[in-house]
Amino acid sequence: MAKQNGNHNNNATFISGYGLRKHFKLGGQLVRALDGVDVEIPKGQFLGIMGPSGSGKSTLLYVMGGLDRPTGGEVIVGDKYLHSMNGEELARFRRESIGFIFQQFHLVPTLTALENVALPGVFAGIPREVREKRSRQLLNTLGMGERLDHKPSQLSGGQQQRVAIARALFNNPPIIMGDEPTGALDSKTGETVMNLLRWLATRQGKTVIIVTHDAGVASYADRLLHLRDGRIVDDIPAAPQEMENLHVNR
Amino acid sequence: MFSELAGLAIGNLFRARARLVMTAGGVVVGTSAVILLVALTFGLQRSAEAGIGNSTAVTEIQVYPSWEIPPGQSPEDLPQLNLETIQKLWRIPGVAAVIPFVNLQVGGELLSGKYVGGANIVGLDPRLLPYLGITLEQGELSLQPGEIIVGPFVGENFYDPTSEYYEPIQVDVFSTPLKFHVINWNDGTEIKKDIKVSGTFASGTSYDYTIFMNVNDVIGYNEWASGQETDPDTFTFGQVIVRAESRETTIDVTNAIKDMGLNAYSMGEFLEQMNNFFRTMRLILGGVGGVALLVAAFGVANTMTMAILERTREIGLMKAIGATDRDVLTVFLLESGLVGLAGGVTGVILSFILRRVINQAVANAPTGDGSVTNFLPFNTSQIGGNLIIIPTNLWVFAIVLATLVGLGAGLFPSLRAARLSPVIALKQE
């Protein structure tokens, strides 16, 4: 089973955060988005981060993904110390190690599905023909092979999110991070997307971290973190029976 | 890497075509304004130069001895127009020829029957004739002993010395038999000799009233009058003309001659002043065009600011998928630079079209009394349909300038885009 595979058989810590703080002023008031978070995530784990809005769950995701900087504490991914990297190094880290998925998909409206998926290759300096080949291959794998030349506006929400997942996979990163990846989808298409992410963790050994407030979505995870007011209040392995939802259908 | 980003930037430009056309349109107008106004000064300058005379006048330098004695020197130290000076002049770089004139030191006139014609009579080495810059009208360029070459106005100013009133009489010097009459005023002796006009030349030079004679003839008359042999050590020329190799070297040669302590005057100096005037005019008119380009720059800056506001989330996404600040800066700078480049190229094309229209209008404009072209500050016949002249470096410069304007206008918006925090940018609604 995926759960054993991700949680028990491979315990080496891959991503770790120690004493993570993110404090900033908003309208003259000090906001503690993260207020001393310690977390260790092994390779291949499917981690769900839950909590009410404003609990700091998205901030924790972006800090671990090198998209945001903590005001205190350390983030270590593999052998990389994110807290001591400059902007250029962080961009390189994101390019090579992280694939992000967002609630609003964030596809470029004027680009086709093929071009959207290939966009990370532009910044990696990959030649056009190679980009398109890899992009086509990924979209085919995700069942989007017939919509390569569709613009985002011509695609359904679930299809758009699959394009976004293909884009996240373009540079073959070891980590996939999703910020409410099913938040803009109906429950049926949300399940498809979650199955896809589950499959990536189980079959491809990707470390998948998603932020959600949907307990149904969280049920796909190996482990759940609960945040409140910038602190971890609960850290539990998901119930085994909920893993029955896994349908690998591709 | 750069080509990948350039591809992205070009794709982005075509997303908002109407805006691209309007923004670049401002640059088109600005570029055309710069080109056409500067091109106008080139056309007017050429027309002004055409009014000066033929091109040989431009390379001609007249050399005289200096009358100013430098401090600490005696008058004997001043260089004279002697043989030594002539040799020094020949060695100045950029000199095509040094043409010394020997003045006739006795009275000399032409006789045609009872008519008498006076002129400035100058002795010249025949080998230097080709450098004189005269255009033959009749005959040939030959100055054998006993031959003369006659300026165009000499024949028009004969007169009858027995007449009560002075009245100029025209004599065809080329076909009428002429005698040369020399008078030694010291003792009243005179010589009359048959003389042959070998050629006449066109007007437009400073020799319209000059008769050129073989230098040995002139020296012979001078020796006859003074009763002394010419001493090469003390001999001085009346005037020296230096011919520069090209218009460009004229000023340098003139300055080199002045450095020798001689007086030198050339049309090139006047041309230089005129060029300075047109250079100033070019700067002023180019500046007026530049204002239009400056306005266009604000348009580009506005468009780029709007584009970046609209695409804030996209910038956040670019960063999330691995774009560095520098990548984002490059993409947006390329976009604004390409707007400038496109506007510049279109502006150049427009300028060439307008040049054709304007020049043809000027060339076909009616001339003569009462026509509107008389009110123009230039002579349309001298312009010859070239009022607007666009040299290659002007339009190349205009394209480079338009591109730089685009880049400059896009710099601050692009820097702002590059510095956006990705998390905040992604949350933008």
Side-chain angles (χ1 to χ4, degrees):
Chain A
M1 265 319 275
K3 189 183 158 190
Q4 283 82 30
N5 196 15
N7 208 9
H8 300 294
N9 297 351
N10 185 0
N11 271 343
T13 300
F14 182 42
I15 305 170
S16 45
Y18 301 110
L20 290 177
R21 284 192 310 279
K22 178 76 179 179
H23 294 181
F24 54 89
K25 285 230 166 129
L26 192 67
Q29 271 205 314
L30 185 68
V31 178
R32 293 183 164 94
L34 290 180
D35 198 16
V37 170
D38 297 313
V39 64
E40 290 186 337
I41 305 161
K43 205 175 183 92
Q45 188 171 63
F46 193 136
L47 175 74
I49 305 176
M50 298 191 72
S53 53
S55 62
K57 54 189 191 300
S58 291
T59 304
L60 178 59
L61 184 81
Y62 290 137
V63 162
M64 290 193 295
L67 203 58
D68 206 352
R69 286 175 184 278
T71 48
E74 298 181 344
V75 185
I76 303 155
V77 177
D79 56 356
K80 297 190 176 68
Y81 291 73
L82 267 54
H83 48 276
S84 56
M85 281 182 167
N86 64 27
E88 195 106 344
E89 290 165 336
L90 278 178
R92 187 187 169 89
F93 166 77
R94 293 193 294 267
R95 187 159 71 227
E96 292 173 351
S97 305
I98 312 283
F100 283 104
I101 308 164
F102 305 94
Q103 180 177 1
Q104 299 299 331
F105 324 130
H106 288 322
L107 298 177
V108 179
T110 49
L111 300 184
T112 63
L114 193 74
E115 291 164 338
N116 264 294
V117 172
L119 198 55
V122 169
F123 302 109
I126 296 169
R128 186 182 196 91
E129 311 81 65
V130 182
R131 287 206 305 264
E132 287 194 351
K133 209 169 158 187
R134 167 120 180 100
S135 174
R136 182 166 290 138
Q137 178 194 337
L138 280 166
L139 283 167
N140 279 328
T141 306
L142 299 192
M144 294 290 294
E146 287 172 4
R147 294 189 160 73
L148 299 176
D149 297 322
H150 285 49
K151 297 273 170 71
S153 57
Q154 297 167 304
L155 298 171
S156 72
Q159 289 168 335
Q160 288 188 56
Q161 195 60 299
R162 272 191 277 168
V163 172
I165 291 170
R167 181 180 64 193
L169 292 170
F170 185 87
N171 284 327
N172 199 21
I175 304 163
I176 302 293
M177 290 187 169
D179 187 1
E180 305 267 12
T182 60
L185 303 175
D186 61 64
S187 58
K188 185 78 190 74
T189 45
E191 271 178 32
T192 316
V193 166
M194 289 314 294
N195 278 328
L196 189 48
L197 292 174
R198 180 67 255 181
W199 176 79
L200 287 173
T202 310
R203 295 294 165 84
Q204 296 202 352
K206 305 275 187 209
T207 306
V208 178
I209 307 174
I210 62 162
V211 164
T212 184
H213 58 261
D214 183 344
V217 168
S219 65
Y220 288 82
D222 298 325
R223 175 187 171 194
L224 286 175
L225 287 182
H226 284 267
L227 264 73
R228 180 164 296 164
D229 299 329
R231 292 166 189 271
I232 294 175
V233 292
D234 219 351
D235 183 354
I236 48 165
Q241 67 270 21
E242 290 180 75
M243 296 308 300
E244 302 303 322
N245 284 334
L246 174 58
H247 308 292
V248 179
N249 48 11
R250 285 183 207 287
Chain B
M1 184 69 207
F2 183 79
S3 67
E4 316 299 328
L5 295 178
L8 190 63
I10 291 168
N12 286 340
L13 275 181
F14 284 99
R15 286 156 68 160
R17 286 187 192 85
R19 199 158 62 186
L20 168 68
V21 167
M22 282 185 278
T23 310
V27 183
V28 171
V29 171
T31 309
S32 303
V34 170
I35 292 177
L36 289 176
L37 288 172
V38 172
L40 178 66
T41 67
F42 282 118
L44 290 177
Q45 183 170 8
R46 182 178 291 184
S47 121
E49 283 175 7
I52 285 175
N54 56 23
S55 59
T56 55
V58 174
T59 54
E60 186 172 296
I61 305 162
Q62 295 171 24
V63 183
Y64 308 96
S66 177
W67 299 283
E68 261 181 73
I69 302 159
Q73 291 189 27
S74 61
E76 294 85 65
D77 294 336
L78 284 175
Q80 298 300 312
L81 295 180
N82 52 24
L83 290 167
E84 187 192 348
T85 302
I86 302 301
Q87 282 170 359
K88 277 188 189 167
L89 288 172
W90 271 106
R91 287 197 286 268
I92 294 173
V95 166
V98 178
I99 309 165
F101 288 167
V102 179
N103 289 345
L104 186 67
Q105 284 159 358
V106 291
E109 56 192 14
L110 292 177
L111 301 178
S112 166
K114 61 173 180 171
Y115 300 127
V116 175
N120 177 35
I121 297 159
V122 164
L124 179 70
D125 185 331
R127 288 171 294 180
L128 295 171
L129 276 172
Y131 297 101
L132 210 47
I134 56 175
T135 312
L136 271 185
E137 272 196 335
Q138 285 172 298
E140 54 182 333
L141 218 51
S142 163
L143 268 190
Q144 295 305 312
E147 286 183 341
I148 53 172
I149 293 176
V150 178
F153 295 166
V154 172
E156 297 173 9
N157 286 284
F158 278 73
Y159 65 98
D160 181 356
T162 60
S163 167
E164 209 167 323
Y165 304 102
Y166 172 78
E167 194 185 349
I169 291 157
Q170 185 154 350
V171 170
D172 183 356
V173 290
F174 195 67
S175 54
T176 314
L178 292 173
K179 282 190 187 304
F180 188 55
H181 181 211
V182 195
I183 308 137
N184 181 0
W185 297 111
N186 294 329
D187 55 10
T189 52
E190 49 190 304
I191 300 175
K192 276 186 192 173
K193 270 183 119 178
D194 285 334
I195 203 149
K196 185 195 169 208
V197 175
S198 56
T200 61
F201 54 90
S203 65
T205 67
S206 48
Y207 311 118
D208 286 349
Y209 292 96
T210 300
I211 295 171
F212 290 111
M213 188 176 278
N214 189 297
V215 65
N216 292 324
D217 285 356
V218 174
I219 291 174
Y221 289 127
N222 287 345
E223 287 180 345
W224 164 77
S226 65
Q228 288 174 357
E229 292 244 328
T230 301
D231 178 2
D233 292 336
T234 58
F235 179 79
T236 59
F237 295 95
Q239 192 193 355
V240 173
I241 302 291
V242 171
R243 171 75 57 200
E245 280 173 353
S246 69
R247 184 177 150 176
E248 286 71 32
T249 60
T250 306
I251 295 294
D252 290 341
V253 172
T254 306
N255 290 334
I257 294 170
K258 284 180 178 170
D259 288 346
M260 285 170 61
L262 293 161
N263 267 344
Y265 174 80
S266 68
M267 195 63 100
E269 252 174 318
F270 171 69
L271 265 186
E272 182 73 5
Q273 285 170 10
M274 198 177 74
N275 285 346
N276 280 338
F277 166 76
F278 279 107
R279 209 168 291 143
T280 311
M281 191 169 154
R282 230 177 333 272
L283 281 178
I284 293 170
L285 288 182
V288 171
V291 170
L293 208 47
L294 189 69
V295 173
F298 281 102
V300 175
N302 181 42
T303 299
M304 290 311 294
T305 308
M306 290 299 295
I308 283 157
L309 278 178
E310 277 173 19
R311 282 152 61 188
T312 301
R313 289 199 308 176
E314 191 180 313
I315 293 162
L317 172 87
M318 280 159 67
K319 291 195 167 186
I321 62 177
T324 61
D325 291 5
R326 188 182 292 264
D327 291 338
V328 175
L329 181 71
T330 305
V331 168
F332 282 96
L333 267 186
L334 275 173
E335 283 184 35
S336 65
L338 283 170
V339 169
L341 179 66
V345 170
T346 315
V348 166
I349 294 169
L350 180 66
S351 300
F352 275 97
I353 294 170
L354 287 174
R355 178 189 71 166
R356 196 184 162 82
V357 171
I358 294 171
N359 283 348
Q360 279 190 348
V362 170
N364 298 335
T367 52
D369 288 341
S371 68
V372 285
T373 52
N374 289 345
F375 297 103
L376 293 174
F378 49 85
N379 187 341
T380 47
S381 62
Q382 277 174 359
I383 294 276
N386 269 322
L387 180 59
I388 304 289
I389 296 173
I390 305 177
T392 306
N393 50 10
L394 173 61
W395 65 261
V396 170
F397 165 80
I399 290 178
V400 171
L401 183 69
T403 309
L404 288 178
V405 162
L407 286 175
L411 183 62
F412 284 103
S414 302
L415 276 174
R416 209 171 71 173
R419 288 177 187 151
L420 274 176
S421 151
V423 174
I424 293 169
L426 282 166
K427 280 180 186 157
Q428 178 97 21
E429 286 306 313

